[in-house]
Structure formats: C-alpha cells, structure tokens
Amino acid sequence: MEGKMSENPVNNQKYLLEQQYKRTDNFTSRTDLHEKYTITDEPWFSFVYRYLNLQPDQKVLELGSGTGLLWQKNFQVLPENCEIHLTDLSEGMLDSIQNSIQDKRFHFKQMDAQNITYPDATFDTVIANHMLYHVPDFSKTMREIKRVLKPGGKLIAATNGNAHMTEIYDFLYTFDPTHGFQRRILPFNLDSGTELLKAEFSHVEQHIHASYLRITEVTPLVAYYRSMQTLGVNFALYNQQAFSEFLQTTLDNDGQIIVHKSQGLFIARN
Ligand SMILES: C[S@@+](CC[C@H](N)C(=O)[O-])C[C@H]1O[C@@H](n2cnc3c(N)ncnc32)[C@H](O)[C@@H]1O
C-alpha cells in the first residue's frame, strides 16, 4: 500500500474505484466542508450552471457526475424539456444519484469517460466537473468527447489550480515536517488546462471562480483530511488527536481558519 501510494493515486482508476469513490462518504466529507464554510458572491454550482447556459431541448452528458450536485443545486431552474445523461465510473456514486434524482429528464449510466458509449454527435454540451484529472488517458477521453459532441457543441471542464487550498497542506507540514509527503499536482489543472485543451479544440476560454473558506470548527476539517487518504495524504500516519488539537489551537488563536481556493472552468469548442 505504501509503495503504491507513491504513484499518483489521482489517476489510478483501481484506487479511485475500489477506495476513494467506492462509496460517497470521502467525496461528501469534502463537499460538506465547502458547502458549510465557503465565502463567495456566487455558489460554485450556480457558477458552473451559468456557463452551461442550458437551453430547452438540449442534450447534456456529464462525465464523472459524482453525487449529482450540479443538478440538485440547480433543479428548480432547469428547462422543462431538456435531456441530461449522468455517468460515472463508480456504481456507488451513480447509485446515490439515482436515489436522489428521480425525474424524467434524467438518465443514468455506469461509464468510463475514456470509452463513451453513446453515438457520434449526440450532445450539445459535455460536462467534466473536477474529473478530467482522474482519467489516465486524457487524449483518448478528448477524442471521445469530441466524437459525441454535435457540431458547434461545447465541453465544460472544471478543475482546481495548483494553489488550491495550499493551507491544508501547510498545516500538515507545520504540525509534523518529518512525514515529508509531497503534494500531488493534478494532471489537468487550471494552470495546465488551456494548453491541454488547445491541442484538441480551436476555441478555449477560462473562467475563474472567486471564493475562499472561512472555517470555524475543527471536526469537519479533520473529516476532510481523512477523506484524502487515497488521494496521497496518508493521514493515518499522523497522530490525529494531536493534529486536531493543533488545529483547535490555531482556530482559537485566530478565531477562524482561512483556506484560499483556486477553482474555475474551461469552455472548449471547435
Ligand atoms: C471529484 S468527483 C466530482 C464529482 C462531480 N462532478 C462534482 O463536481 O460534484 C470525481 C468523480 O469522477 C469519477 N471518475 C473517476 N474516474 C472516472 C472515469 N474514468 N470515468 C468516469 N468517471 C470517473 C469518480 O468516480 C467521481 O465520482
């Protein structure tokens, strides 16, 4: 396990499927922290929905749709007659959406984004929200996305920048520099995304979402650390009780813990 963790687990599909995303709990620990403590003028999923610009009669494919938060958050404003296909590599994630979204506009399929099982020119928009950094074969995924997009259709690809939540890693390092973990660079991130997408699409725009976390409780923050176990932060190696106390002291001293985010999306089309 330790040896294997030195590979980049972020695009190791076996780890992702059997550990990180087997069930929804790791993912939900992280989204809960964002949900509870984000300070922003526009919630993340409203921002993504605004750029999606979904029109009546359009067909949308989401790759790696996770727990379907984009749709749960924007359910009230969806056009009546659109068709939305939610797909994920993990059955566990897909089950959770099927339980929470029951609506005739939605369709569900277990599917690897590298092998899209829909015919050519089917969709007006393909969405890949915080998931392209997980796919081992980026070029193949791009070929598949372009194949299923209608002429004039667009890809919305959201991701993080290299500076995303730096304080999370700084706290671990300050608490105990001896473990010497390395922060993993996401293979598809806000810094590398323009170049990667320009190799595939003739028009690429980037839009940055401005937000940060103002955390006022330690427990959800510790749950966040635990959720990253299979994403390269081996939290089990740390004295968790002592680390929680360290975070609590930081919080008591400052009255808050500020964590900066770097998030955004690309719109790509040919
Ligand atoms: C960080 S979550 C994002 C979920 C959702 N898009 C959101 O933003 O709330 C990443 C999702 O990608 C899925 N995933 C990982 N590799 C995949 C692949 N090759 N094909 C499809 N989905 C994949 C995971 O199972 C997980 O549900």
Side-chain angles (χ1 to χ4, degrees), residues 16 21 34-35 53 82 115 126 130 141 146 219 251:
L16 294 175
Y21 297 120
H34 288 287
E35 186 98 333
N53 192 22
C82 53
N115 292 296
V126 173
H130 285 104
T141 310
K146 288 190 287 187
T219 307
L251 184 56

Side-chain angles (χ1 to χ4, degrees), residues 54 57-61 83-85 122-125 150:
L54 182 58
D57 295 321
Q58 284 194 335
K59 277 192 180 189
V60 175
L61 170 66
E83 196 177 305
I84 299 164
H85 293 256
T122 304
F123 296 103
D124 299 281
T125 307
K150 291 178 186 172

Side-chain angles (χ1 to χ4, degrees), residues 166-177 181 215 217-219 221-222 225 235 238-259:
T166 303
E167 295 88 343
I168 289 277
Y169 302 89
D170 291 348
F171 283 133
L172 279 179
Y173 188 75
T174 307
F175 171 70
D176 186 351
F181 72 87
I215 300 167
E217 285 166 292
V218 161
T219 307
L221 184 52
V222 172
Y225 281 103
F235 194 47
Y238 291 79
N239 179 334
Q240 298 190 21
Q241 179 61 32
F243 184 61
S244 299
E245 286 163 16
F246 163 81
L247 290 176
Q248 189 64 56
T249 306
T250 309
L251 184 56
D252 293 344
N253 288 343
D254 300 346
Q256 59 187 8
I257 289 177
I258 300 290
V259 174

Side-chain angles (χ1 to χ4, degrees), residues 33-44:
L33 190 82
H34 288 287
E35 186 98 333
K36 210 163 174 196
Y37 300 112
T38 294
I39 308 287
T40 183
D41 290 341
E42 183 181 29
W44 169 253

